[in-house]
Amino acid sequence: MMLKDKKYKYQLVYERIKEQILAGNYQPHEKLLSKRKISEQFNVSINSVIVALDQLIVEGYVYSLERKGYFVEDITRYDLDDQEWSGLPAELKEQPIERPYQTSFSHMASNMSLFPYNEWLKCEQKAIQQFNNELSHLSHQQGPYIVRQTLAQHLNFKRGVRCEPEQVVLHSSSQALMSQLLELFDDAPHTIALENPGYARYKALIEDHGWDVLTVPLDEKGFDVERLQNQDVQLVCVTPAHQFPMG
């Protein structure tokens, strides 16, 4: 059999064998011809046959047994043409979302036209070059040590907050980070103080964990620390810069 097609030879072998299997010309667990005989039948190299058979194995049409050869899998076919299919209900179908406006006032959106992509890509490339060893495996569950060390130094120099890298925890999501930190405490009831007004999602999340929430109003300097006097509070959650939603 001569194969004349623009496709790779292994693709043609793969398609012919697959068609024969789906047509029922092979019974389940029936042994295929040897690689040498298939190569002679299709007038292709044995390497092309091996690649075709490997693809059939990956897709579940064929399996191999060591020193015995290749066999046809027991395939259960589902012919959708014989079944009634009315499509998805109208209420489940999605429509493309068009946003013709230029500015969003939601705190969940960003104006990506102002994002410094070039600077970001330069930093990303530099990080990959300098820390490819660290990026090749899973980092510490609190975040890469060198990043936590840098943040601890920044907090000390810029904010006057003295802390060690071991006291810094990084996470890709602030809500997931809050949930992770709350898990560090025992099951006894606790109270956490939050800014008011503040991030409402934090309040709901903390209450879902069984904590009591004490809301503390803001003054001209931010969180009113004096309101914590004589309060049984174990934790205080604040946004030290650009407080949400007051800024």
Side-chain angles (χ1 to χ4, degrees), residues 63-71:
Y63 67 93
S64 65
L65 296 177
E66 188 174 359
R67 297 183 180 179
K68 292 186 177 181
Y70 295 86
F71 298 83

Side-chain angles (χ1 to χ4, degrees), residues 21-39:
I21 293 174
L22 293 177
N25 297 333
Y26 286 103
Q27 297 300 314
H29 309 296
E30 181 178 346
K31 184 178 180 180
L32 296 176
L33 296 175
S34 67
K35 291 179 288 187
R36 181 181 59 81
K37 290 185 177 180
I38 294 176
S39 68

Side-chain angles (χ1 to χ4, degrees), residues 45-198:
S45 68
I46 292 181
N47 287 336
S48 296
V49 175
I50 293 175
V51 174
L53 292 173
D54 287 344
Q55 184 63 32
L56 290 168
I57 291 175
V58 170
E59 296 184 8
Y61 293 100
V62 172
Y63 67 93
S64 65
L65 296 177
E66 188 174 359
R67 297 183 180 179
K68 292 186 177 181
Y70 295 86
F71 298 83
V72 177
E73 286 279 11
D74 186 0
I75 301 174
T76 301
R77 293 193 58 190
Y78 297 93
D79 194 347
L80 295 179
D81 294 336
D82 297 335
Q83 303 178 14
E84 294 185 1
W85 172 247
S86 58
L88 287 174
E91 63 271 14
L92 296 181
K93 290 187 177 182
E94 297 183 49
Q95 298 295 330
I97 300 176
E98 297 182 1
R99 295 186 173 91
Y101 49 81
Q102 297 295 322
T103 303
S104 172
F105 293 97
S106 170
H107 71 279
M108 301 296 291
S110 301
N111 187 349
M112 300 308 294
S113 64
L114 301 178
F115 189 82
Y117 281 106
N118 291 335
E119 288 75 9
W120 175 269
L121 292 174
K122 291 177 182 178
C123 293
E124 189 178 63
Q125 184 178 17
K126 186 177 180 180
I128 293 174
Q129 292 174 346
Q130 295 186 3
F131 304 105
N132 53 18
N133 183 50
E134 290 84 348
L135 293 172
S136 64
H137 54 79
L138 292 176
S139 63
H140 193 277
Q141 60 184 0
Q142 291 180 215
Y145 179 82
I146 190 170
V147 179
R148 289 184 282 123
Q149 184 182 44
T150 303
L151 284 175
Q153 293 173 350
H154 174 79
L155 291 172
N156 188 13
F157 296 151
K158 299 293 186 179
R159 304 287 176 81
V161 177
R162 300 182 63 181
C163 65
E164 299 295 333
E166 292 77 8
Q167 296 173 290
V168 177
V169 182
L170 305 178
H171 206 287
S172 59
S173 166
S174 62
Q175 295 184 65
L177 175 59
M178 174 66 74
S179 180
Q180 182 179 0
L181 294 177
L182 294 178
E183 295 294 336
L184 298 177
F185 295 83
D186 55 36
D187 296 330
H190 297 285
T191 301
I192 184 170
L194 292 178
E195 300 165 321
N196 185 28

